[in-house]
Amino acid sequence: MAAELFEGQYVWHPAADDRALASVCVDVRAGRYRAAHEALAETRSDFALRAHRSLVLASEAAGTDLVERWLDEEPTPEAALMWARVAVQRALRAADARDDRAEALERIALTACDRAAGAAPADPTPWVARLAMARLHRLRDPAPHGLLTAPPGPWRLFAHILSLDPWHREAHHRFLSCFFTRHGGSVTAAWDVAAFLSQRAPGDSPLRLLPLVALVENYNPTQLLADRVWEQPQWRSTTLSIYQNWLPSVAGYRFTPVLDLAYLAHALVMGQREFEARAVFTAMGPYASRMPWSAFGDPAEQLSRARRACGLPVPGPG
């Protein structure tokens, strides 16, 4: 799906150009679930789209009783999946806020994930939702051979997801985040896992971007020449390889992968490859994501700065 042209304003909504999803979000905010069921039911054989839509819809529904009502009135696999997604979001928010209800909410989320997995055994999405909570307890399964640091982590759960969908994008990102320092991991473990996972993936896979995600996650502005890291030959080479092998496949996506494009555009700009970055921004159209820009300051300002470096228009004042 080709993105729309940039017409002077950024579009921050996570639905991006999935118009059906954007419309369903309006219904969910109004307390209606029928359209959400239809939007998810059509993704039963498209796990990438199912993950994307269910995650966006959960962010809209998490503060309401919509999914509980839906599950009570129409207990379909889609209702069970949305309950799992919402319950996990609530549990993670409570844990991060050190809320007294965190433990109870986590138990509810685990129950919801189990129910969703039972309702659709071939669907990896409930297991991915469960993986999102793995960072709360630092699961310590031994790492497979091939990793320099052999970091322990939720490898068994991750392996089960890969048995259902070997290249599941969200699963890889959730798994990598378990090794971030802010979740109790280390810089070296994050590098090791990102490199291991990306090298396993096909050359035209968005999973090749995982090292760029780790690079942003490990960014420390207090380090000497921190902003010059992307100019190093190995990072320029990595970034250009993604540009050459993955970017051409984006036109065939059912929705614009804004977050992945943003990481690629950012790395190209930081590596002083503005010509290539311009093409990535063009593929993004008007759609924008907070990351990776928010790791460096105000996301809108950082995005505009990068676009200006490529000679592209930015939103005007007001």
Side-chain angles (χ1 to χ4, degrees):
M1 178 183 288
E4 301 165 25
L5 294 176
F6 179 78
E7 293 184 348
Q9 296 296 327
Y10 300 135
V11 178
W12 296 94
H13 197 287
D17 52 354
D18 185 342
R19 288 205 177 92
L21 177 58
S23 174
V24 173
C25 285
V26 175
D27 271 23
V28 167
R29 284 195 293 272
R32 299 186 293 267
Y33 60 77
R34 178 68 59 188
H37 170 79
E38 293 171 359
L40 289 175
E42 71 164 293
T43 69
R44 288 179 182 177
S45 60
D46 186 339
F47 295 141
L49 189 62
R50 192 170 182 82
H52 170 64
R53 286 185 171 178
S54 61
L55 190 60
V56 172
L57 290 173
S59 68
E60 298 285 356
T64 73
D65 67 348
L66 176 73
V67 292
E68 286 86 356
R69 185 161 44 84
W70 180 2
L71 193 65
D72 181 57
E73 295 172 2
E74 294 188 20
T76 61
E78 284 66 40
L81 174 61
M82 283 303 301
W83 184 42
R85 283 295 212 181
V86 164
V88 167
Q89 283 203 16
R90 291 170 180 163
L92 289 174
R93 288 175 184 171
D96 291 341
R98 303 190 186 282
D99 191 310
D100 291 341
R101 299 170 298 165
E103 200 171 307
L105 289 170
E106 186 181 352
R107 286 197 297 270
I108 292 170
L110 290 171
T111 299
C113 290
D114 287 345
R115 177 167 176 170
D123 182 7
T125 324
W127 297 98
V128 176
R130 191 184 189 111
L131 180 61
M133 292 193 294
R135 65 176 173 82
L136 299 180
H137 297 295
R138 301 291 302 149
L139 297 177
R140 302 188 67 81
D141 306 328
H145 296 297
L147 285 92
L148 294 174
T149 60
W155 290 97
R156 289 194 186 96
L157 176 54
F158 185 53
H160 178 69
I161 296 169
L162 299 191
S163 73
L164 299 173
D165 185 359
W167 311 118
H168 197 284
R169 181 199 172 280
E170 185 187 341
H172 282 75
H173 281 263
R174 295 286 189 189
F175 184 68
L176 175 59
S177 73
C178 291
F179 300 91
F180 291 164
T181 54
R182 60 191 163 100
H183 295 152
S186 69
V187 170
T188 53
W191 286 131
D192 202 7
V193 172
F196 177 75
L197 297 180
S198 67
Q199 288 163 10
R200 289 177 62 255
D204 62 350
S205 168
L207 299 179
R208 290 283 177 158
L209 287 141
L210 289 170
L212 300 184
V213 175
L215 189 58
V216 170
E217 178 66 27
N218 294 330
Y219 171 73
N220 181 354
T222 67
Q223 289 181 340
L224 186 65
L225 301 178
D227 289 347
R228 305 296 292 274
V229 172
W230 286 263
E231 297 176 34
Q232 294 176 3
Q234 70 268 33
W235 287 113
R236 274 186 171 168
S237 175
T238 296
T239 305
L240 287 172
S241 176
I242 297 166
Y243 170 81
Q244 291 160 0
N245 295 307
W246 172 68
L247 183 63
S249 70
V250 169
Y253 281 38
R254 288 189 64 177
F255 61 92
T256 299
V258 180
L259 186 58
D260 288 334
L261 288 168
Y263 272 99
L264 179 55
H266 171 265
L268 287 166
V269 171
M270 296 293 281
Q272 298 188 356
R273 302 296 303 223
E274 288 85 359
F275 175 81
E276 291 85 357
R278 184 184 178 101
V280 180
F281 281 126
T282 299
M284 287 172 66
Y287 305 106
S289 60
R290 287 186 53 79
M291 287 294 288
W293 316 108
S294 60
F296 302 85
D298 177 80
E301 291 176 5
Q302 294 295 317
L303 174 55
S304 292
R305 180 180 176 186
R307 286 181 61 93
R308 284 193 202 96
C310 300
L312 291 170
V314 301

